[in-house]
Short mmCIF file of all heavy atoms in Angstrom, two decimals:
data_model
loop_
_atom_site.label_atom_id
_atom_site.label_comp_id
_atom_site.label_asym_id
_atom_site.label_seq_id
_atom_site.Cartn_x
_atom_site.Cartn_y
_atom_site.Cartn_z
N SER A 1 0.85 -1.22 0.00
CA SER A 1 0.01 0.03 0.00
C SER A 1 0.86 1.26 -0.01
O SER A 1 0.52 2.27 -0.62
CB SER A 1 -0.96 0.01 1.18
OG SER A 1 -0.27 0.11 2.42
N VAL A 2 2.01 1.22 0.71
CA VAL A 2 2.88 2.39 0.74
C VAL A 2 3.66 2.57 -0.54
O VAL A 2 3.91 3.65 -1.03
CB VAL A 2 3.86 2.28 1.94
CG1 VAL A 2 4.92 3.35 1.92
CG2 VAL A 2 3.09 2.34 3.25
N ARG A 3 4.04 1.41 -1.11
CA ARG A 3 4.86 1.46 -2.31
C ARG A 3 4.27 0.49 -3.36
O ARG A 3 4.75 -0.62 -3.53
CB ARG A 3 6.33 1.02 -1.97
CG ARG A 3 7.28 1.29 -3.08
CD ARG A 3 8.67 1.30 -2.52
NE ARG A 3 9.55 1.75 -3.61
CZ ARG A 3 10.46 0.98 -4.15
NH1 ARG A 3 10.69 -0.22 -3.70
NH2 ARG A 3 11.20 1.44 -5.11
N PRO A 4 3.21 0.90 -4.02
CA PRO A 4 2.50 0.03 -4.96
C PRO A 4 3.27 -0.12 -6.30
O PRO A 4 2.90 0.47 -7.30
CB PRO A 4 1.15 0.71 -5.14
CG PRO A 4 1.41 2.13 -4.88
CD PRO A 4 2.55 2.18 -3.89
N VAL A 5 4.31 -0.93 -6.28
CA VAL A 5 5.09 -1.24 -7.49
C VAL A 5 5.00 -2.76 -7.69
O VAL A 5 4.62 -3.50 -6.81
CB VAL A 5 6.52 -0.79 -7.32
CG1 VAL A 5 6.59 0.76 -7.25
CG2 VAL A 5 7.21 -1.40 -6.13
N PRO A 6 5.38 -3.23 -8.88
CA PRO A 6 5.28 -4.68 -9.14
C PRO A 6 6.01 -5.55 -8.12
O PRO A 6 5.47 -6.61 -7.70
CB PRO A 6 5.91 -4.81 -10.56
CG PRO A 6 5.62 -3.51 -11.19
CD PRO A 6 5.76 -2.49 -10.10
N SER A 7 7.14 -5.14 -7.68
CA SER A 7 7.88 -5.98 -6.71
C SER A 7 7.15 -6.13 -5.39
O SER A 7 7.17 -7.20 -4.81
CB SER A 7 9.30 -5.44 -6.48
OG SER A 7 9.24 -4.14 -5.92
N SER A 8 6.45 -5.10 -4.92
CA SER A 8 5.71 -5.22 -3.69
C SER A 8 4.45 -6.12 -3.88
O SER A 8 4.03 -6.83 -2.94
CB SER A 8 5.32 -3.85 -3.12
OG SER A 8 4.49 -3.15 -3.99
N SER A 9 3.89 -6.11 -5.08
CA SER A 9 2.77 -7.03 -5.39
C SER A 9 3.27 -8.47 -5.36
O SER A 9 2.57 -9.38 -4.88
CB SER A 9 2.18 -6.74 -6.78
OG SER A 9 1.49 -5.50 -6.74
N VAL A 10 4.49 -8.73 -5.86
CA VAL A 10 5.05 -10.08 -5.84
C VAL A 10 5.35 -10.50 -4.40
O VAL A 10 5.09 -11.66 -4.04
CB VAL A 10 6.31 -10.14 -6.72
CG1 VAL A 10 7.02 -11.46 -6.53
CG2 VAL A 10 5.94 -9.92 -8.21
N VAL A 11 5.86 -9.59 -3.58
CA VAL A 11 6.12 -9.89 -2.20
C VAL A 11 4.82 -10.28 -1.50
O VAL A 11 4.77 -11.26 -0.76
CB VAL A 11 6.82 -8.73 -1.47
CG1 VAL A 11 6.76 -8.89 0.05
CG2 VAL A 11 8.23 -8.51 -1.97
N LEU A 12 3.76 -9.53 -1.73
CA LEU A 12 2.46 -9.82 -1.14
C LEU A 12 1.94 -11.14 -1.63
O LEU A 12 1.44 -11.96 -0.84
CB LEU A 12 1.45 -8.67 -1.37
CG LEU A 12 0.05 -8.86 -0.80
CD1 LEU A 12 0.13 -9.16 0.68
CD2 LEU A 12 -0.79 -7.63 -1.06
N ALA A 13 2.00 -11.38 -2.94
CA ALA A 13 1.52 -12.66 -3.48
C ALA A 13 2.27 -13.84 -2.91
O ALA A 13 1.66 -14.88 -2.60
CB ALA A 13 1.64 -12.64 -5.04
N THR A 14 3.55 -13.73 -2.78
CA THR A 14 4.37 -14.80 -2.24
C THR A 14 4.03 -15.05 -0.76
O THR A 14 3.90 -16.19 -0.32
CB THR A 14 5.88 -14.47 -2.34
OG1 THR A 14 6.17 -14.24 -3.76
CG2 THR A 14 6.74 -15.60 -1.86
N THR A 15 3.80 -13.96 -0.02
CA THR A 15 3.44 -14.13 1.39
C THR A 15 2.04 -14.80 1.49
O THR A 15 1.84 -15.69 2.31
CB THR A 15 3.39 -12.74 2.05
OG1 THR A 15 4.63 -12.12 1.92
CG2 THR A 15 3.02 -12.84 3.53
N LEU A 16 1.13 -14.40 0.64
CA LEU A 16 -0.20 -15.03 0.62
C LEU A 16 -0.08 -16.52 0.28
O LEU A 16 -0.79 -17.35 0.83
CB LEU A 16 -1.10 -14.30 -0.33
CG LEU A 16 -1.57 -12.93 0.06
CD1 LEU A 16 -2.10 -12.14 -1.10
CD2 LEU A 16 -2.57 -13.00 1.20
N TYR A 17 0.79 -16.86 -0.64
CA TYR A 17 1.00 -18.27 -1.05
C TYR A 17 1.52 -19.04 0.16
O TYR A 17 1.02 -20.14 0.43
CB TYR A 17 1.98 -18.31 -2.23
CG TYR A 17 2.42 -19.76 -2.49
CD1 TYR A 17 1.59 -20.64 -3.10
CD2 TYR A 17 3.64 -20.21 -2.02
CE1 TYR A 17 1.94 -21.97 -3.31
CE2 TYR A 17 4.02 -21.53 -2.22
CZ TYR A 17 3.18 -22.38 -2.87
OH TYR A 17 3.53 -23.71 -3.05
N TYR A 18 2.49 -18.51 0.83
CA TYR A 18 3.01 -19.25 2.00
C TYR A 18 1.97 -19.41 3.10
O TYR A 18 1.93 -20.46 3.78
CB TYR A 18 4.29 -18.65 2.52
CG TYR A 18 5.48 -18.93 1.63
CD1 TYR A 18 6.20 -17.94 0.97
CD2 TYR A 18 5.87 -20.27 1.38
CE1 TYR A 18 7.22 -18.21 0.13
CE2 TYR A 18 6.93 -20.54 0.51
CZ TYR A 18 7.58 -19.53 -0.10
OH TYR A 18 8.64 -19.82 -0.90
N GLY A 19 1.16 -18.40 3.24
CA GLY A 19 0.05 -18.51 4.22
C GLY A 19 -0.93 -19.62 3.81
O GLY A 19 -1.43 -20.35 4.63
N ALA A 20 -1.20 -19.72 2.49
CA ALA A 20 -2.06 -20.78 1.97
C ALA A 20 -1.45 -22.15 2.23
O ALA A 20 -2.16 -23.11 2.57
CB ALA A 20 -2.29 -20.55 0.51
N GLU A 21 -0.15 -22.26 2.09
CA GLU A 21 0.51 -23.53 2.37
C GLU A 21 0.33 -23.93 3.86
O GLU A 21 0.10 -25.07 4.14
CB GLU A 21 2.02 -23.42 2.05
CG GLU A 21 2.36 -23.49 0.58
CD GLU A 21 2.32 -24.89 0.01
OE1 GLU A 21 2.03 -25.87 0.74
OE2 GLU A 21 2.56 -25.04 -1.20
N LEU A 22 0.45 -22.94 4.72
CA LEU A 22 0.26 -23.22 6.17
C LEU A 22 -1.20 -23.68 6.43
O LEU A 22 -1.43 -24.60 7.19
CB LEU A 22 0.54 -21.98 6.96
CG LEU A 22 2.01 -21.53 7.00
CD1 LEU A 22 2.13 -20.17 7.69
CD2 LEU A 22 2.86 -22.58 7.69
N LYS A 23 -2.15 -23.01 5.79
CA LYS A 23 -3.58 -23.39 5.94
C LYS A 23 -3.82 -24.77 5.35
O LYS A 23 -4.61 -25.54 5.87
CB LYS A 23 -4.49 -22.36 5.28
CG LYS A 23 -4.46 -21.01 5.95
CD LYS A 23 -5.11 -21.02 7.26
CE LYS A 23 -5.20 -19.63 7.83
NZ LYS A 23 -5.81 -19.61 9.18
N ALA A 24 -3.16 -25.11 4.24
CA ALA A 24 -3.33 -26.43 3.63
C ALA A 24 -2.85 -27.51 4.55
O ALA A 24 -3.43 -28.58 4.62
CB ALA A 24 -2.59 -26.47 2.28
N GLN A 25 -1.76 -27.27 5.27
CA GLN A 25 -1.28 -28.24 6.23
C GLN A 25 -2.33 -28.54 7.32
O GLN A 25 -2.35 -29.61 7.89
CB GLN A 25 0.04 -27.81 6.86
CG GLN A 25 1.18 -27.81 5.90
CD GLN A 25 2.46 -27.25 6.47
OE1 GLN A 25 2.54 -26.94 7.65
NE2 GLN A 25 3.47 -27.10 5.66
N LYS A 26 -3.15 -27.53 7.60
CA LYS A 26 -4.19 -27.70 8.62
C LYS A 26 -5.52 -28.11 7.98
O LYS A 26 -6.53 -28.19 8.65
CB LYS A 26 -4.41 -26.37 9.38
CG LYS A 26 -3.17 -25.91 10.16
CD LYS A 26 -3.49 -24.58 10.83
CE LYS A 26 -2.30 -24.04 11.57
NZ LYS A 26 -2.56 -22.73 12.16
N GLN A 27 -5.49 -28.35 6.69
CA GLN A 27 -6.66 -28.77 5.92
C GLN A 27 -7.76 -27.72 5.95
O GLN A 27 -8.97 -28.04 5.95
CB GLN A 27 -7.13 -30.14 6.34
CG GLN A 27 -6.09 -31.20 6.09
CD GLN A 27 -6.54 -32.61 6.49
OE1 GLN A 27 -7.64 -32.76 7.13
NE2 GLN A 27 -5.81 -33.59 6.09
N GLU A 28 -7.41 -26.44 5.96
CA GLU A 28 -8.38 -25.33 5.96
C GLU A 28 -8.47 -24.83 4.50
O GLU A 28 -8.00 -23.76 4.20
CB GLU A 28 -7.93 -24.25 6.92
CG GLU A 28 -7.90 -24.70 8.37
CD GLU A 28 -7.31 -23.64 9.29
OE1 GLU A 28 -7.13 -22.47 8.90
OE2 GLU A 28 -7.04 -24.02 10.46
N TYR A 29 -9.09 -25.64 3.65
CA TYR A 29 -9.01 -25.35 2.22
C TYR A 29 -9.82 -24.18 1.75
O TYR A 29 -9.54 -23.61 0.71
CB TYR A 29 -9.39 -26.65 1.44
CG TYR A 29 -8.31 -27.68 1.61
CD1 TYR A 29 -8.51 -28.77 2.47
CD2 TYR A 29 -7.09 -27.54 1.00
CE1 TYR A 29 -7.52 -29.71 2.65
CE2 TYR A 29 -6.07 -28.48 1.19
CZ TYR A 29 -6.32 -29.55 2.00
OH TYR A 29 -5.30 -30.47 2.19
N GLN A 30 -10.87 -23.78 2.48
CA GLN A 30 -11.58 -22.59 2.12
C GLN A 30 -10.69 -21.36 2.31
O GLN A 30 -10.65 -20.46 1.47
CB GLN A 30 -12.88 -22.45 2.90
CG GLN A 30 -13.80 -21.35 2.39
CD GLN A 30 -14.24 -21.59 0.96
OE1 GLN A 30 -14.50 -22.70 0.54
NE2 GLN A 30 -14.27 -20.52 0.17
N SER A 31 -9.93 -21.37 3.40
CA SER A 31 -8.97 -20.25 3.65
C SER A 31 -7.86 -20.29 2.60
O SER A 31 -7.39 -19.28 2.16
CB SER A 31 -8.36 -20.39 5.05
OG SER A 31 -9.36 -20.20 6.02
N VAL A 32 -7.44 -21.51 2.21
CA VAL A 32 -6.41 -21.66 1.18
C VAL A 32 -6.91 -20.95 -0.12
O VAL A 32 -6.18 -20.19 -0.73
CB VAL A 32 -6.10 -23.16 0.92
CG1 VAL A 32 -5.25 -23.31 -0.33
CG2 VAL A 32 -5.44 -23.79 2.10
N ARG A 33 -8.12 -21.23 -0.44
CA ARG A 33 -8.72 -20.69 -1.68
C ARG A 33 -8.76 -19.17 -1.64
O ARG A 33 -8.40 -18.52 -2.62
CB ARG A 33 -10.09 -21.25 -1.89
CG ARG A 33 -10.72 -20.94 -3.16
CD ARG A 33 -12.13 -21.59 -3.21
NE ARG A 33 -12.67 -21.61 -4.50
CZ ARG A 33 -13.82 -22.20 -4.80
NH1 ARG A 33 -14.50 -22.81 -3.88
NH2 ARG A 33 -14.27 -22.14 -6.03
N VAL A 34 -9.12 -18.62 -0.52
CA VAL A 34 -9.22 -17.15 -0.35
C VAL A 34 -7.85 -16.55 -0.49
O VAL A 34 -7.66 -15.56 -1.23
CB VAL A 34 -9.87 -16.79 1.01
CG1 VAL A 34 -9.75 -15.30 1.29
CG2 VAL A 34 -11.33 -17.20 1.00
N LEU A 35 -6.86 -17.09 0.24
CA LEU A 35 -5.53 -16.53 0.17
C LEU A 35 -4.91 -16.62 -1.21
O LEU A 35 -4.29 -15.64 -1.71
CB LEU A 35 -4.62 -17.27 1.19
CG LEU A 35 -4.92 -16.98 2.67
CD1 LEU A 35 -4.10 -17.91 3.54
CD2 LEU A 35 -4.59 -15.52 3.01
N LEU A 36 -5.14 -17.74 -1.88
CA LEU A 36 -4.56 -17.91 -3.20
C LEU A 36 -5.25 -17.06 -4.26
O LEU A 36 -4.62 -16.60 -5.21
CB LEU A 36 -4.57 -19.38 -3.64
CG LEU A 36 -3.62 -20.27 -2.84
CD1 LEU A 36 -3.84 -21.72 -3.19
CD2 LEU A 36 -2.19 -19.88 -3.06
N THR A 37 -6.54 -16.81 -4.09
CA THR A 37 -7.26 -15.94 -5.00
C THR A 37 -6.69 -14.51 -4.89
O THR A 37 -6.45 -13.83 -5.87
CB THR A 37 -8.76 -15.95 -4.73
OG1 THR A 37 -9.24 -17.27 -4.89
CG2 THR A 37 -9.52 -15.02 -5.64
N GLN A 38 -6.41 -14.09 -3.62
CA GLN A 38 -5.77 -12.78 -3.42
C GLN A 38 -4.40 -12.76 -4.01
O GLN A 38 -4.01 -11.74 -4.64
CB GLN A 38 -5.75 -12.47 -1.93
CG GLN A 38 -7.08 -12.29 -1.29
CD GLN A 38 -7.00 -12.15 0.23
OE1 GLN A 38 -5.93 -12.11 0.80
NE2 GLN A 38 -8.19 -12.06 0.85
N ALA A 39 -3.65 -13.84 -3.91
CA ALA A 39 -2.28 -13.91 -4.45
C ALA A 39 -2.36 -13.81 -5.95
O ALA A 39 -1.58 -13.06 -6.59
CB ALA A 39 -1.61 -15.21 -4.01
N PHE A 40 -3.28 -14.53 -6.55
CA PHE A 40 -3.42 -14.48 -8.01
C PHE A 40 -3.83 -13.08 -8.48
O PHE A 40 -3.26 -12.59 -9.49
CB PHE A 40 -4.50 -15.49 -8.49
CG PHE A 40 -4.63 -15.57 -9.95
CD1 PHE A 40 -3.64 -16.22 -10.73
CD2 PHE A 40 -5.72 -15.03 -10.61
CE1 PHE A 40 -3.76 -16.25 -12.13
CE2 PHE A 40 -5.86 -15.08 -11.98
CZ PHE A 40 -4.88 -15.70 -12.71
N GLU A 41 -4.67 -12.40 -7.76
CA GLU A 41 -5.04 -11.02 -8.09
C GLU A 41 -3.81 -10.08 -8.03
O GLU A 41 -3.70 -9.20 -8.89
CB GLU A 41 -6.15 -10.52 -7.18
CG GLU A 41 -7.47 -11.22 -7.40
CD GLU A 41 -8.50 -10.90 -6.34
OE1 GLU A 41 -8.21 -10.24 -5.34
OE2 GLU A 41 -9.66 -11.35 -6.51
N GLN A 42 -2.95 -10.28 -7.09
CA GLN A 42 -1.73 -9.49 -7.00
C GLN A 42 -0.81 -9.74 -8.20
O GLN A 42 -0.24 -8.85 -8.73
CB GLN A 42 -0.99 -9.74 -5.67
CG GLN A 42 -1.68 -9.20 -4.47
CD GLN A 42 -1.82 -7.70 -4.52
OE1 GLN A 42 -0.88 -6.97 -4.87
NE2 GLN A 42 -3.01 -7.20 -4.20
N LEU A 43 -0.71 -11.01 -8.58
CA LEU A 43 0.19 -11.34 -9.68
C LEU A 43 -0.40 -10.88 -11.01
O LEU A 43 0.34 -10.57 -11.95
CB LEU A 43 0.41 -12.89 -9.73
CG LEU A 43 1.25 -13.43 -8.58
CD1 LEU A 43 1.23 -14.94 -8.58
CD2 LEU A 43 2.65 -12.89 -8.59
N ALA A 44 -1.71 -10.79 -11.08
CA ALA A 44 -2.39 -10.36 -12.31
C ALA A 44 -2.03 -8.90 -12.68
O ALA A 44 -2.10 -8.53 -13.86
CB ALA A 44 -3.88 -10.53 -12.23
N VAL A 45 -1.69 -8.10 -11.68
CA VAL A 45 -1.39 -6.69 -11.98
C VAL A 45 0.10 -6.49 -12.37
O VAL A 45 0.46 -5.40 -12.76
CB VAL A 45 -1.75 -5.75 -10.79
CG1 VAL A 45 -3.23 -5.83 -10.49
CG2 VAL A 45 -0.89 -6.02 -9.58
N VAL A 46 0.87 -7.56 -12.25
CA VAL A 46 2.30 -7.47 -12.61
C VAL A 46 2.46 -7.86 -14.05
O VAL A 46 1.94 -8.88 -14.50
CB VAL A 46 3.12 -8.42 -11.67
CG1 VAL A 46 4.58 -8.41 -12.08
CG2 VAL A 46 2.96 -7.98 -10.21
N LYS A 47 3.20 -7.05 -14.80
CA LYS A 47 3.36 -7.30 -16.22
C LYS A 47 4.00 -8.67 -16.53
O LYS A 47 3.53 -9.41 -17.35
CB LYS A 47 4.21 -6.17 -16.86
CG LYS A 47 4.31 -6.28 -18.37
CD LYS A 47 5.00 -5.10 -18.95
CE LYS A 47 5.06 -5.21 -20.46
NZ LYS A 47 5.73 -4.07 -21.07
#
């Protein structure tokens, strides 16, 4: 939010992905889906 550049979107997407991995280990797949959808949206704005 402070520095909305492609690299910060990638950092956020990667963080969301790792969070999804943690949720998947707990079998919380609805949360996995939400986090990964947000990650995909972040990656979609990167050229």
Side-chain angles (χ1 to χ4, degrees):
S1 66
V2 171
R3 193 161 187 244
V5 295
S7 60
S8 61
S9 291
V10 172
V11 167
L12 179 54
T14 303
T15 304
L16 290 163
Y17 169 77
Y18 285 118
E21 284 282 0
L22 293 172
K23 295 290 187 181
Q25 291 175 6
K26 297 178 183 178
Q27 298 181 349
E28 298 174 10
Y29 291 105
Q30 191 60 39
S31 295
V32 170
R33 188 180 194 176
V34 169
L35 290 170
L36 291 173
T37 300
Q38 293 173 5
F40 184 74
E41 289 170 356
Q42 288 299 314
L43 293 172
V45 300
V46 176
K47 186 174 182 180

